[in-house]
Amino acid sequence: MDTQNLEEGKTVAQAAHELGLHENTLYRWVTEVKKDGDQAFPSSGNLKPEEKSLRDFQKKIRDLEEENEILKKVMHYFAKDRR
């Protein structure tokens, strides 16, 4: 549903009833559209910039943790070799 129906004089209660939704759901959707516009409901392939940034940082952390574990194993391997 777009906000056009609400702008045409329908109340949120009327629009929610016509769509078979709870009023609170429709209120939340309208609030999100007003706040984020076209990016209010992104799909997994189209994230909000802050969500994409967070996902990128989380991936970088996982990669660095994996590299750190590999380096620890290599360090122990060479430490045993020196004895």
Side-chain angles (χ1 to χ4, degrees):
M1 153 151 194
D2 60 13
T3 57
Q4 183 178 3
N5 287 338
L6 298 178
E7 294 168 358
E8 292 175 354
K10 289 185 182 183
T11 65
V12 171
Q14 289 171 326
H17 178 72
E18 288 176 13
L19 294 169
L21 299 170
H22 192 276
E23 288 178 43
N24 291 342
T25 300
L26 192 53
Y27 274 117
R28 184 172 39 87
W29 289 355
V30 169
T31 301
E32 290 181 30
V33 168
K34 287 179 181 178
K35 178 182 161 215
D36 296 323
D38 291 341
Q39 294 186 348
F41 305 102
S43 63
S44 61
N46 185 22
L47 301 174
K48 293 179 183 179
E50 60 272 8
E51 291 173 349
K52 182 179 181 334
S53 179
L54 177 60
R55 184 177 280 183
D56 291 345
F57 284 132
Q58 289 171 333
K59 181 181 182 325
K60 183 68 172 174
I61 289 170
R62 283 192 307 273
D63 291 347
L64 290 171
E65 287 173 340
E66 185 178 335
E67 289 175 16
N68 194 27
E69 288 302 313
I70 291 169
L71 290 172
K72 284 179 185 179
K73 290 176 183 178
V74 169
M75 181 182 72
H76 288 297
Y77 176 79
F78 285 113
K80 282 192 239 177
D81 212 27
R82 296 180 83 186
R83 293 180 189 177

